[in-house]
Amino acid sequence: MSSPPSGPVHVVRAPGRVNLIGEHIDYCGLSVLPMALGRSVRITFHPRSDRETRLVNRDPRFAPSAFAVNETVPPAPAGDWSNYARAAVSAVAQRFPDLRGVDALVESDLPIAAGLSSSSALVVAMALAMLHANGVTVAPLELMELLARGERYVGTAGGGMDQAIILGAQAGCASRIDFHPLRLTPTAVPADWQFIVAWSLVPAEKSGSARQAYNERTRGSDEARRLVATRLSQPKDITYAALVAAAPVEDLLELAEANLSGVLARRFRHVVTEGTRVPQAEAAMAAGDLAAFGRLLDASHHSLRDDYEVSHPELDRLVELAREAGAAGARLTGAGFGGSIVALCRVERAPEVVAALRERFYAPRGAAADVGRHVFVAEPSAGAEVLTPG
Ligand code: GLA
């Protein structure tokens, strides 16, 4: 790492996440149910005495980057990995002027563009490194919101799920995240359940090809909400949560069907029905009802595929194969358009599911040798932390 060093070396770790259910509804203010992964982004850093920040990535695909700490760090070209670090530095610099920079080495065992939030993990890790290096703290809920807003620097109008779970996850648990106000409520994942994550081999880069399609969904869901609100003589700025509380879901869906374009009515149906599945899934998890949770995963996937149109044929195939191999349910996870699926099964069934995916999905695509990288068991893990100085 480069000079001038002016403090001991520290390490921060921020996990990726897998969203179990509640997809594409966080930006509508509806609750979601993700958990953090054992895989993470790690940053080894030391504080500098000036405002320079220098980043080196252990992965040679990502070139070193340097910039001065500022409230609006100029962005690197679109798609550059360092933009997530620049987003974090800008966000914390807006909160605390006069921060010193860091020299940082970034490493990750999280698959990239796989729907597992490697980008938000980098944002969170970088923000924690900056805060720690400068001896300042931000209360966890405030930091989650600050970084959710801050990540929009890369041009994606994301919701707040990723930053919240990456910072606030508890080991062994999934967490329901509610918005406005933000809160996290953990539920223990039953010991005999296993969530398997499998990559479709189709990259879905949030700040790249998937960005436009993602932003279109956020606009569509908002427009649908406003149109339904008008039909119900409700204020145009009513939230989805208040809309769902104002009328039975069936009535809302009928109204959308009768008054909205086909596309907007489908977008609306996804948001509203997915919103109902989250508390049901949370209850199924608390009760250890694997079959019920699995049915909700399947319903979520169908809704994302048919109504929200964010799936991909390779994701659909993976879901189908996981189900045929005995998973209780499976769905795409994350923003979609590629990325990964998550499948649920009992612990003892997991090897069969993994073997079936290897033989029927990865082998025909010439990727069987790498199955250990493409498929893994998601261990519900703790949120981001600064580790003891090394
Ligand atoms: C991305 C966004 C999240 C969320 C998911 C889809 O991961 O960053 O805020 O909208 O997509 O559920």
Side-chain angles (χ1 to χ4, degrees), residues 151-384:
E151 196 179 314
R152 300 200 184 119
Y153 176 97
V154 303
T156 309
M161 164 171 69
D162 304 342
Q163 301 78 9
I165 192 67
I166 289 168
L167 278 160
Q170 287 190 24
C173 296
S175 294
R176 190 187 77 232
I177 301 175
D178 302 314
F179 301 94
H180 317 305
L182 184 61
R183 352 190 246 296
L184 280 80
T185 311
T187 296
V189 176
D192 62 341
W193 289 22
Q194 205 132 72
F195 287 101
I196 296 170
V197 173
W199 188 43
S200 65
L201 307 176
V202 180
E205 177 50 66
K206 226 176 10 179
S207 69
S209 55
R211 180 169 67 185
Q212 196 189 345
Y214 182 93
N215 289 346
E216 261 167 35
R217 298 307 184 282
T218 66
R219 280 195 299 273
S221 60
D222 204 47
E223 192 183 341
R225 179 192 55 73
R226 271 187 281 113
L227 291 170
V228 170
T230 308
R231 287 279 157 186
L232 277 174
S233 307
Q234 295 282 347
K236 272 195 174 171
D237 60 356
I238 188 173
T239 61
Y240 262 104
L243 204 54
V244 170
V249 165
E250 298 71 35
D251 295 2
L252 291 174
L253 296 182
E254 255 176 49
L255 206 125
E257 182 101 13
N259 295 287
L260 271 53
S261 71
V263 170
L264 281 189
R266 291 203 304 280
R267 302 291 188 261
F268 185 81
R269 183 164 59 192
H270 168 71
V271 171
V272 169
T273 60
E274 185 77 352
T276 65
R277 284 186 280 272
V278 173
Q280 291 171 22
E282 187 189 22
M285 182 175 273
D289 189 342
L290 179 104
F293 201 102
R295 283 193 296 273
L296 292 161
L297 292 179
D298 290 345
S300 173
H301 185 74
H302 295 150
S303 180
L304 288 159
R305 183 191 63 196
D306 301 334
D307 283 348
Y308 224 56
E309 298 179 279
V310 293
S311 192
H312 184 284
E314 295 294 79
L315 290 169
D316 298 339
R317 182 70 181 139
L318 269 175
V319 163
E320 188 184 11
L321 291 173
R323 294 288 282 116
E324 284 175 19
R331 58 183 285 278
L332 74 85
T333 185
F337 313 110
S340 301
I341 67 151
V342 58
L344 171 63
C345 61
R346 293 231 183 264
V347 170
E348 61 272 18
R349 183 66 73 110
E352 275 168 60
V353 174
V354 174
L357 295 182
R358 183 195 301 112
E359 277 154 44
R360 301 186 61 198
F361 187 84
Y362 295 102
R365 290 160 181 79
D370 286 332
V371 77
R373 271 198 302 125
H374 300 327
V375 182
F376 64 93
V377 167
E379 303 289 353
S381 300

Side-chain angles (χ1 to χ4, degrees), residues 11-19 34-43 106-112 115-128 143-144 147 151 160-173 175 177 184 206 376-387:
V11 179
V12 60
R13 156 194 169 276
R17 64 98 187 93
V18 57
N19 188 19
M35 64 187 203
L37 298 169
R39 297 186 179 207
S40 59
V41 170
R42 262 172 183 264
I43 299 186
V106 179
E107 303 168 86
S108 172
D109 61 356
L110 268 169
I112 291 158
L116 305 175
S117 253
S118 61
S119 45
S120 300
L122 174 54
V123 170
V124 169
M126 191 64 197
L128 289 180
L143 187 57
M144 292 167 194
L147 297 181
E151 196 179 314
M161 164 171 69
D162 304 342
Q163 301 78 9
I165 192 67
I166 289 168
L167 278 160
Q170 287 190 24
C173 296
S175 294
I177 301 175
L184 280 80
K206 226 176 10 179
F376 64 93
V377 167
E379 303 289 353
S381 300
E385 59 193 331
V386 179
L387 306 168

